[in-house]
Amino acid sequence: MELIEPHLPLGAFGPIPDLRSYFNAVMWRFRTGSPWRDVPDSYGSWSTIYDRFRMWPRDAVFQTLMAAMIAEAAARDDVNSAWPVWTRPLSARITMRRAW
């Protein structure tokens, strides 16, 4: 989490309480493929988690995290250039696929 936390957004008055838990909840949700309503209560309210998740693309949180992880891997010389990395938004990828 040391790599991730500096790139998570701040609230209007400083760090958002339980932001790490919200991030972990989003990762849990995608790892399991479960619906948002099935996120365990230990992570917090599913609707709050979903609302945070919906704001993060607007704030470029995921793009910033991806760039930081790639930079960290490059610094460790642990980058596999054989694997493509998508940095374009999903809507651009869908549009690109339709064009083919």
Side-chain angles (χ1 to χ4, degrees):
M1 275 312 267
E2 295 83 23
L3 176 64
I4 295 170
E5 284 191 62
H7 302 287
L8 294 177
L10 293 175
F13 302 104
I16 300 169
D18 298 327
L19 190 59
R20 182 176 179 168
S21 180
Y22 296 152
F23 182 80
N24 288 337
V26 170
M27 295 300 105
W28 179 90
R29 192 264 176 190
F30 284 106
R31 187 174 57 251
T32 64
S34 297
W36 287 105
R37 290 180 185 262
D38 290 345
V39 171
D41 292 336
S42 61
Y43 289 118
S45 165
W46 73 266
S47 60
T48 302
I49 295 163
Y50 176 72
D51 290 342
R52 295 268 182 220
F53 169 75
R54 294 270 319 227
M55 289 187 291
W56 290 347
R58 181 196 67 204
D59 297 337
V61 172
F62 294 113
Q63 290 87 346
T64 303
L65 284 171
M66 181 62 78
M69 286 189 253
I70 291 171
E72 176 68 21
R76 290 191 220 160
D77 198 28
D78 193 21
V79 177
N80 183 347
S81 60
W83 292 94
V85 176
W86 287 98
T87 57
R88 291 189 176 142
L90 178 61
S91 58
R93 284 184 271 155
I94 291 170
T95 303
M96 288 171 49
R97 286 185 189 150
R98 288 182 186 152
W100 289 83

